Amino acid sequence: MTHRPWHRSLIKSGVRVFLGGSLAHVQDWFPGLTIVRNQSGGDVFYRGAKVADLARMDRLCERSGETIYIVGSGPSIRDCDLSSMEAGSAILLNGAIRLAGERIGEPLAIAIEDERFVWRHIDTMRAKIAPGSLCLFSVAVLRALCEVDRNWLADKAIILIDDIRKPYGARRRSLDDLRKLQYVRLDAAGLAGFSLSPDQGVFVGGSVAVSALQFALYCAQRTIGFLGIDISNAREPRFYETTQDTAFSGIAQAEGRIVKHLVFARKIAGERGVSLVNHSPVSALLKYDFSYDDRFAIKPKG
């Protein structure tokens, strides 16, 4: 089950038919969402009424410290002891927001990229994302939230996840277009990319972890740690799910795409003197020389 309402599926198909592939992503903001950017960030409007302010990347950097953790909702989180994690250091992805206020007291930020999460988990978002939270939301997530509860965004600090290949308000960019952007790094084949200026867009690479890493590396001083970014066991229930209530995940099918982006990002991190550390013992990252650090492993008693 995708949990995308039928009317959204109709709009998605209709936009592609009438506007073509280069503008198919118009469905992310149509109908009703308008984003106006300015030097301080920008404004988000829905059906003509302002619903939120946009913040710039500096807000995330001001809050972050030497280490940033990117925390996903992979099954391995069940076996992690998060009590020693530094306060305000975690970017929680999707269902990992359930850790907020509990195993992780106060996160650094929340990151949600797929609008289907909104349709399925809006009640959890209302309960777990506190007023004043710094939220990295995609264009489609903002539109979906406005459809569900446009007033909910008013007291959140929003940083836009804009797909650099399919940017808000513009046509899809070709590989040649991307190569002309000074803040873009591409691998030799053009299959993986990295944005040095997330305010101007990020590469979306099959998992919100890819986008979150580009934001994190912009701010990181020393280390970026991955927890619950398992990938290899994505068909298993997430740490908060049961076998009877497991939502569809495309992560397993997208493993190659995800890993290409993360491996390329590791190269850029190394150039900046930042280490990428994997804290999941079952992650697909192990196959690509992201060695395992057991700092958060639950130690046996006695």
Side-chain angles (χ1 to χ4, degrees), residues 95-106:
I97 62 175
R98 285 170 169 77
L99 300 170
E102 297 181 15
R103 295 171 64 190
I104 292 178
E106 181 180 352

Side-chain angles (χ1 to χ4, degrees), residues 120 237 241-247:
R120 182 174 170 84
E241 294 177 328
T242 65
T243 53
Q244 288 76 38
D245 184 33
T246 302

